[in-house]
Amino acid sequence: MQNLLLDFILQYIHLDENEKNAIASLDIFHTIKKGHILLKQGEFSNQGYFVLKGCVRSFYIIEGEEKTTAFYTEMEGITPQCVIDNKPSEYYISCVEDSILLISTPDMEDEMFQKFPKFESLCRILSEKLVSKQQIDFDNFKISSPEERYLNLVDKRPDLIQRVPQHQIASFLGIKPQSLSRIKARIIEKNK
Amino acid sequence: MQNLLLDFILQYIHLDENEKNAIASLDIFHTIKKGHILLKQGEFSNQGYFVLKGCVRSFYIIEGEEKTTAFYTEMEGITPQCVIDNKPSEYYISCVEDSILLISTPDMEDEMFQKFPKFESLCRILSEKLVSKQQIDFDNFKISSPEERYLNLVDKRPDLIQRVPQHQIASFLGIKPQSLSRIKARIIEKNK
DNA sequence: TATTTTTCTTCACTTAAGTTAACGTTTAAT
DNA sequence: ATTAAACGTTAACTTAAGTGAAGAAAAATA
């Protein structure tokens, strides 16, 4: 697990032994069971998550219905809005599968930034990349129909279709489960 | 204009005279005319933009049709994906109004980060905030109907409704101009 | 000012998603 | 192993967005 993390970081910046050890010494690896809720709507939290293995989902509950808005899988991270703005969370975060997560707090991060400014560079670079990626994802969502969004998901994140229940996929695509079933049937019909 | 920028920055970090002068000495203020295209689809660029005054729009042209995906107004910045990934741009960026923009390049930023590490902290913090804000915007888009999205826009960015043509607003909301007209008529009908 | 172009709205019609309900299947719990 | 709950699909019906066309209003241009 340590190595997965180091390899990921080394794609972006170089680390000396000292810095590698600093990471290794952080006791931040956590094994979380499927279904466990990491963050609840209305709750305060100062935890950020980085997925080393497994899958994490964020969702709202609106009029009793779950609205899934994001999935985070291997080498993806989330810092919930409530951590950044210091206000109660508007959404839930839970584990879709048994997962290994890296859990951090702003205090820990600030400490690392103090000791190793390089880590702040890393976080800046990763954040900037993420801003740009998110914008593209949002753009593609806007300019696509539900059917196109589904086909795009099958193309870009085929693993998700397998590892996540369909009604969560539907919600993630901004439609109802019944519509997703219909879309899938329509696609099969077309390809005949 | 200098002061607008400094005041914005001072919300997040403290600057000494030296640092303030460093910013002032950057010759990065540009006056851009309405309609001017800053970035074209297919083009390479290394320019990032920060809006001091005015309004900038990003859009795709798909099958001859403009698809507006974002508006950037006072104190908002864009670093186009093509700058970050060093590949041709998938979208256009143009000025909706006469605007005053701050234009930067990665080289300039890296130089500033070298001289004043504090600026890198600032950029990290701003990027992290932006990631979180973007995620919330995307979430709200997904969990809302077109009508709700429109009402939300009227509530959250009423200025946009005024300063931007309706067909661009429609596209931004993920619908056709005709549908936006209908939605507006429906809302008026309801409130009678 | 006159003229062209862009923008916005309305309408009739088509298409696709939402809704409600039912049913078989898979998964989890006892 | 049995039961209950959650999940996925199908169907009939409703609602709302897309489409194509036309015309009025506003803005840009000559």
Side-chain angles (χ1 to χ4, degrees), chain A residues 60 62 67-70 72 79 81 84-85 90-91 109-110 113 120-121 123-124 127-132 134-143 171-172 174, chain B residues 60 62 67-70 72 79 81 84-85 90-91 109-110 113 120-121 123-124 127-132 134-143 171-172 174:
Chain A
Y60 295 69
I62 292 169
K67 305 276 187 180
T68 296
T69 50
Y72 302 90
T79 302
Q81 200 215 15
I84 291 182
D85 293 351
E90 291 175 33
Y91 48 82
E109 287 167 16
D110 289 341
F113 297 157
E120 184 155 27
S121 286
C123 286
R124 175 190 57 85
S127 292
E128 288 180 355
K129 274 189 178 290
L130 192 51
V131 167
S132 145
Q134 273 188 157
Q135 185 63 57
I136 297 288
D137 287 347
F138 195 177
D139 290 354
N140 284 329
F141 191 93
K142 270 187 193 169
I143 66 185
S171 179
F172 178 64
Chain B
Y60 295 69
I62 292 170
K67 305 277 187 178
T68 296
T69 50
Y72 302 89
T79 303
Q81 199 213 18
I84 291 182
D85 294 351
E90 291 175 34
Y91 48 81
E109 287 167 14
D110 288 342
F113 297 157
E120 184 155 25
S121 287
C123 286
R124 174 190 59 84
S127 292
E128 287 178 356
K129 275 190 178 288
L130 191 51
V131 167
S132 145
Q134 272 188 157
Q135 184 63 56
I136 298 288
D137 287 346
F138 195 178
D139 289 356
N140 284 330
F141 191 93
K142 271 188 192 168
I143 67 185
S171 178
F172 179 64

Side-chain angles (χ1 to χ4, degrees), chain B residues 133-168:
Chain B
K133 182 183 170 300
Q134 272 188 157
Q135 184 63 56
I136 298 288
D137 287 346
F138 195 178
D139 289 356
N140 284 330
F141 191 93
K142 271 188 192 168
I143 67 185
S144 303
S145 65
E147 180 170 334
E148 288 165 339
R149 279 176 222 153
Y150 172 70
L151 289 170
N152 188 51
L153 188 69
V154 169
D155 186 40
K156 297 286 166 53
R157 300 183 70 176
D159 59 306
L160 270 192
I161 310 281
Q162 303 307 322
R163 64 209 285 198
V164 167
Q166 295 298 296
H167 67 279
Q168 291 176 10

